[in-house]
Amino acid sequence: MVIKNLAHGIGALALALVPLLPTPATPAAQAAPVAEVTTLADAVGLLKVTEENRAGYTASSFRHWNAGEDPTDGCDTRAEVLLAEAVVAPTVGSGCKLTGGRWTSYLDGQEVTDAGSLEVAHMVALGEAWDSGASAWTAGRREAYANDQGADVSLVAVTSRTNRKKADKDPADWMPPSPEVQCRYTGEWVSTKLRWQLTADDRELEALKVYAEGPCEDTIVRYAPAA
């Protein structure tokens, strides 16, 4: 399992999604789309704006966590994300029980050494995704969204306390308290929405523009449409 490097340099923020390359057995036409690279301001401008509607939403509409990227490793998506994001790799025991290890919950800057005190948050929460277009998806596509490890920014390990504060709010109603990570968060939010062709409402769009045209004008967004 590849461990993510959560250290980000000063300056332009790169949100990387590396596309899978075609193999000899896979026609190039079936390869994953090449990632788009653009400024945060231009990425925000690509968002379609519509009103949101939460009618009919339940968390059970999005099946998670499933068997993950490797159905043979005995770990579900949540555990695989924790393994991928560990700064110091934990020991994997029977039933994929994780012991030891260390993580950085970047949304609040907390160092964590107990996997049980972390939650794997959807960058764009399930309720917000439902409001923004997922209500019209098939059950299979909602499951793919809820377990998306194809983009590093889709799922993030955070402390339970911060995840509860974030809940299903969009950037108009919640941002990480530390200014140092707000540009990264804004870019990852927009990247996720573009990847899944989710919409934004008016308040959300205006909040994103404040960051994109101000303190985060140097942020670079990379995304590729989900299969």
Side-chain angles (χ1 to χ4, degrees), residues 201-212:
D201 64 18
D202 289 326
R203 290 184 64 250
E204 176 186 351
L205 187 71
E206 291 308 310
L208 293 170
K209 285 181 178 178
V210 168
Y211 289 92

Side-chain angles (χ1 to χ4, degrees), residues 69-177:
E69 287 189 314
D70 182 0
T72 69
D73 65 3
C75 297
D76 62 12
T77 299
R78 177 186 180 277
E80 288 183 352
V81 171
L82 291 177
L83 286 167
E85 293 197 356
V87 178
V88 176
T91 299
V92 183
S94 177
C96 200
K97 182 178 180 181
L98 307 182
T99 56
R102 180 164 58 86
W103 293 263
T104 298
S105 171
Y106 95 84
L107 294 185
D108 53 22
Q110 298 298 304
E111 295 289 329
V112 180
T113 56
D114 176 14
S117 65
L118 289 166
E119 295 182 7
V120 172
H122 296 89
M123 173 53 58
V124 176
L126 301 181
E128 171 68 19
W130 180 273
D131 295 351
S132 307
S135 60
W137 294 351
T138 64
R141 186 165 178 80
R142 286 196 290 266
E143 179 179 352
Y145 176 85
N147 296 275
D148 182 20
Q149 293 185 70
D152 288 347
V153 304
S154 295
L155 300 170
V156 58
V158 301
T159 59
S160 298
R161 178 180 180 183
T162 294
N163 196 32
R164 287 193 295 269
K165 290 181 177 179
K166 176 182 179 293
D168 56 7
K169 301 179 181 72
D170 68 32
D173 296 311
W174 187 87
M175 287 289 288

